[in-house]
Amino acid sequence: MKHLRPEVFELNPRAQIEIKQIGKGGHNVVLIENLFLYANDIATLFDEMVFTSDEAIRANSPCFRAILPQVSYLQPLHRKIFELHFTKYGIEEMNLFHNKVMLDQYWDGSNIIDQSSYHPHTDDLNKTNYAIVIFMNRRNIHGGTQFVKVRHDGRWIENITQDNEDARIRNDEDINSPDPAKPWDYDGIRYKRYHLEPMKFNKLISYRTNVIHSPYTDGSFYRNTPRKIITSTF
């Protein structure tokens, strides 16, 4: 029997923390490099967990997904991220009721990917405040997470608010197909990337869930080996 110990997720006291402001909106991106003390042990979970392509579980994500049931193991991390964002956003209560921790594996060109999955998106913006992505590829490091602005009613928007909620709805319903060779390279007409945060093993990035973003690969690098991340919203 495998026993997943909570100390496996112990945070590295020597981790490097940086906070960037990106885009015209000055959106916070919290970066923590060398996040976990036992990152190699965590990386082995991707070989041991059971992943599914069930849409009800992956919620239109282009990834095969596994749910980590031990959400409480990451609560110290959630608390730390919440505090790092506080100066910028002033949100006083963590919302852990809808919190999930997921392991995702992505392959370029996978047959589970719907065309709409290539659109830039937001995360659970009505239920949660912040998202985290932790890059877990020890090898085959490429791409990262890109932040994208969307053309809507003659202007570019970087995040979804109550004032432009119809932009999210229109984006979800958009039927434009991406370039099949480079589906994450947007054309600059409907979508335009303004920041790319590169992948690095055991690196965390965190941002508001209403900031528009998507994964980034060149469309072929992960044909034969997966992109691996841990992701959570809270």
Side-chain angles (χ1 to χ4, degrees), residues 46-47 51-52 61-65 104-113 118 137 183-184 217 219-228:
F46 285 86
D47 300 321
F51 288 79
T52 181
S61 163
C63 306
F64 291 85
R65 174 163 287 176
D104 285 353
Q105 297 198 72
Y106 164 88
W107 275 265
D108 282 313
S110 169
N111 61 9
I112 72 166
I113 304 176
Y118 289 118
N137 283 72
W184 303 109
T217 83
S220 62
F221 186 91
Y222 289 114
R223 290 274 175 181
N224 299 311
T225 186
R227 175 186 190 263
K228 303 174 183 180

Side-chain angles (χ1 to χ4, degrees), residues 152-170:
H152 177 67
D153 289 344
R155 61 191 178 98
W156 291 103
I157 60 173
E158 299 171 348
N159 62 325
I160 300 299
T161 66
Q162 289 182 343
D163 294 333
N164 61 23
E165 172 71 7
D166 56 327
R168 181 190 63 79
I169 297 170
R170 190 176 301 178

Side-chain angles (χ1 to χ4, degrees), residues 170-188:
R170 190 176 301 178
N171 183 55
D172 290 346
E173 295 174 347
D174 196 327
I175 60 172
N176 290 335
S177 297
D179 179 346
K182 292 182 174 292
W184 303 109
D185 283 289
Y186 300 124
D187 58 15

Side-chain angles (χ1 to χ4, degrees), residues 85-172:
H85 279 300
F86 182 79
T87 301
K88 170 72 175 179
Y89 296 114
I91 297 172
E92 296 183 349
E93 293 186 12
M94 284 201 303
N95 184 356
L96 296 179
F97 182 74
H98 296 284
N99 178 232
K100 292 180 182 177
V101 178
M102 295 156 289
L103 280 67
D104 285 353
Q105 297 198 72
Y106 164 88
W107 275 265
D108 282 313
S110 169
N111 61 9
I112 72 166
I113 304 176
D114 186 81
Q115 293 296 302
S116 64
S117 297
Y118 289 118
H119 298 171
H121 64 278
T122 56
D123 300 316
D124 289 339
L125 66 161
N126 293 320
K127 298 178 180 178
T128 55
N129 294 308
Y130 303 117
I132 62 174
V133 172
I134 306 167
F135 299 119
M136 294 305 298
N137 283 72
R138 287 180 282 193
R139 295 174 295 278
N140 304 309
I141 294 172
H142 161 78
T145 294
Q146 60 180 334
F147 294 87
V148 180
K149 50 189 176 182
V150 175
R151 190 76 174 172
H152 177 67
D153 289 344
R155 61 191 178 98
W156 291 103
I157 60 173
E158 299 171 348
N159 62 325
I160 300 299
T161 66
Q162 289 182 343
D163 294 333
N164 61 23
E165 172 71 7
D166 56 327
R168 181 190 63 79
I169 297 170
R170 190 176 301 178
N171 183 55
D172 290 346

